[in-house]
Amino acid sequence: MFFSCVLFLLACNSDYTPKPRGYFKIGMPDKRYQTFNQQGYPYTFQYPAYGVVVKDSTFFESRPENPYWINIDFPQFGGRIHISYKEVEPNNFDSLVNDAFTLSYKQHTYKASAIEPEPFVTPKGLSGVFFNLKGNTATASQFFITDSTRHFLRGALYFSATPNADSLQPVNDFLRRDLQQLINTLEWKK
């Protein structure tokens, strides 16, 4: 009985050290790419083999305004790349670019700690802007790419989760490389 009381009293004097919050380990698949080259679409590109291309069937409770809109789903991450395409017409190029900037800034400015637009030119000679959004935003990566005369494609990566930059960072970094592959391999068909 005496031994139990001493052990109990000694256990009460130990210092408690709080543990940091932990997150589940996310297994990343091997990087392998396949080509999206479906009949009738005005573009082709490479996307990850662990992604599933799905035709976009809803646009604010109605049909999409363009039949070339698709999504690339990543079921293992709860992520989706929304890809929208529009033809450049004589008087709409500036509005397409303005819309891309507005969608990147207006909806995310109040949550983002930083928004970094990075202009780029692909190996195929196409140009665009890649937006890196920092902080607890709904999306960390958006882009648009165009030839400025006929084609305009916009993409945005979203997750079906509450935005938490710390827990989503590994997946965002992993999929950002896939977005770069998509951008660098994009070609127009016509």
Side-chain angles (χ1 to χ4, degrees):
M1 179 75 141
F2 175 74
F3 180 70
S4 296
C5 288
V6 169
L7 184 62
F8 179 74
L9 290 174
L10 289 175
C12 292
N13 292 334
S14 65
D15 292 332
Y16 172 74
T17 305
K19 306 281 188 279
R21 175 180 268 180
Y23 298 101
F24 293 107
K25 180 178 179 180
I26 301 170
M28 304 297 183
D30 293 334
K31 292 278 187 198
R32 288 190 348 248
Y33 295 100
Q34 55 194 356
T35 301
F36 176 83
N37 190 9
Q38 293 211 0
Q39 193 81 0
Y41 281 78
Y43 51 81
T44 181
F45 56 80
Q46 290 182 357
Y47 68 99
Y50 41 86
V52 179
V53 174
V54 180
K55 186 174 176 87
D56 190 4
S57 59
T58 60
F59 181 72
F60 299 109
E61 307 304 326
S62 64
R63 290 182 34 206
E65 66 180 74
N66 191 305
Y68 307 124
W69 289 13
I70 61 171
N71 298 317
I72 303 174
D73 289 343
F74 301 100
Q76 68 272 38
F77 301 129
R80 172 179 274 186
I81 301 172
H82 297 273
I83 296 178
S84 58
Y85 169 85
K86 293 194 176 186
E87 289 183 11
V88 175
E89 296 172 1
N91 296 321
N92 76 341
F93 180 72
D94 288 340
S95 74
L96 291 173
V97 172
N98 287 337
D99 287 348
F101 272 88
T102 299
L103 289 169
S104 296
Y105 279 90
K106 184 178 181 183
Q107 296 179 348
H108 305 288
T109 301
Y110 67 97
K111 283 285 192 176
S113 58
I115 300 176
E116 301 167 345
E118 298 175 9
F120 63 82
V121 176
T122 70
K124 311 273 187 202
L126 303 175
S127 60
V129 176
F130 193 94
F131 299 93
N132 287 303
L133 292 89
K134 309 289 185 188
N136 291 330
T137 60
T139 176
S141 301
Q142 295 191 19
F143 68 91
F144 72 84
I145 185 168
T146 183
D147 61 2
S148 73
T149 58
R150 297 185 61 199
H151 306 282
F152 190 93
L153 187 132
R154 183 180 176 281
L157 172 63
Y158 285 91
F159 291 96
S160 299
T162 302
N164 182 339
D166 290 340
S167 62
L168 289 175
Q169 189 65 42
V171 179
N172 273 321
D173 292 344
F174 183 77
L175 293 177
R176 187 173 287 119
R177 293 194 315 250
D178 295 334
L179 287 172
Q180 294 295 334
Q181 179 72 16
L182 185 155
I183 289 167
N184 288 327
T185 59
L186 179 76
E187 294 183 61
W188 309 121
K189 288 184 180 178
K190 45 181 173 167

